[in-house]
Amino acid sequence: MKTIACIVIPIVVLAPLVGEFKGREPDASSAQEITLCASPAGETRPGSDGKFITALKGWGDVHCTISTTKDSVQFYFDQGLSFYYGYHFTEALASFKEANRLDPDCAMTYWGQALAMGPFYNTYVYKMKSEVPGIVAAMTKRMTGASEKERSLMAALQKRYSNDLSNTDRQSLDRAYALALADLGKKFPGDDNITALYVDAVMLEHKWDFWDAQGKPRPWTPELVTACERVLEHSQHPAILHYYIHLTEASRQPDKALAAAEELKDQIPGIGHMVHMASHMYQRNGLFQKGVIINEEANAVNNNIDAAVPGLGLGRDRSPHFFAVQSYCAMTAGMQRGGQQIYQRARNRQLASSSDLSKDLYAQFVYMIPTIADVRLGQWDEILKSPTIDPQWKYAVVLDNFARGLASLRKNNRQSAVQCLQAIETATQDENLAKRLMPFNSPLQSCRIAKSILEGEILFANKEYEAAIKAFNAAIAEEDNMVYREPQDWLIPARQFLGARLLALQRPEEAEKTYREDLVMHPGNGWSLLGLFQSLQAQQNAEASVYKEKYQEAFASADVVITASVF
């Protein structure tokens, strides 16, 4: 494995992106924040032995030379930097603090602490801790003894913070920090860590906003993708591998970063998020069984860290997000019996980590994963006998009635299905559902999809076929305009309902078009591969055999009999 240092191989000179960087900025009063894959750096206090953290395993060969005479200081600094690159900010901060404990005069140990306590990709609203200005001041006081490169990195970091704890100047600070790192890329060409920090800085300005709904790149995206690809020509730098996945996963070519995901999980097996990142690519490339397995491994890695450093209070099974992605992979792979424990664990962990589900709309989404899995896998009796949802959980109420409405239709109870549709219409009047879970979507968008699909199914059952198709198309239009995330905010593609009904109407050419469109949005999805096979078979198209092999491969781990794109 290659050592990744601050002093290696020439790369592209970074060109700073300037101009408008507004991206998708909602009215703050109508937005709700959501944190996913990572959390901000938590409290880090020394243990009874005086240490902030112990030496951990599996964080790779990340290295950035700093001015210290102690090998242990360099070790903990590098450990902290690797955990920072892996979005494990508590472990990163503790590592930088341990390096600082061993050499309080090393300026870069303060730089690391300030870096770890800064803005990060998986939260929208950054709340600066009160101790950050003091850490930056301590860093500044010790800069004179550092190398030119270290002083340059510290000068760039100074631009990231002000003494305004309210962070009203965050946008201008983030831009100044990114520009400073762009200048460092010119001053120190060939430094992969500086490239990684620059890419990270610009990503933080545009969280989850690199491609529009039509798959076109945002203005800032091509330069970042190119910077990553040029580094990857000569170095498998873990931060670049990580960021490259995030930069390309919402594109129409998610396979571009599949190799990066495979490399990253093997190179950094001791950082849970880095292992989990493989599932971003697996679920975007139809490798759903692998997505199930890798999230189990990622959770085990996190639990190993928790066991090694219990004083950090990280907690076992700490990431409901891992289980949400794993659940999506399992249900899409057709795992009913084999997925029950997975779906229930996602619900249980979300319950354990949410103080008030009535106010936590995304938590309601995760809570409903077992029910959505039952819809995906046709478990209608399970849905109908399940307990009713707390009426205060409006988002969950919508998803529950969507499931019950479909189950009622499958049991030939149209009256009950209509009542479920009416319950959805009532619940969606709650104004909180319209608030966007930044930087993603509002629950109302998913609620509209649920309403339109159920409406379409009811109309189809009533033999009002054209009206049904219109309703399905309304659901598709809403789904197509949603911001990408993983797992996606709507777990059962609307086109799979439309395609199935077009086949029932003996309109296979239209069904074929529908499934091909869905496979652009969801490559490798077995449900649409099956639908495409059936559409081509109905047209006596020889290409059908190709898609038969593909859907059979996609459902290799399925434990239910799947005969259509929806049950």
Side-chain angles (χ1 to χ4, degrees), residues 524-544:
N525 188 300
W527 303 84
S528 287
L529 289 170
L530 171 58
L532 181 54
F533 160 72
Q534 293 172 333
S535 303
L536 294 170
Q537 186 182 49
Q539 299 173 69
Q540 297 183 334
N541 188 323
E543 191 184 5

Side-chain angles (χ1 to χ4, degrees), residues 172-190:
S172 61
L173 291 170
D174 287 345
R175 183 87 288 259
Y177 175 58
L179 288 172
L181 287 169
D183 288 340
L184 287 192
K186 300 173 186 176
K187 186 175 181 181
F188 300 102

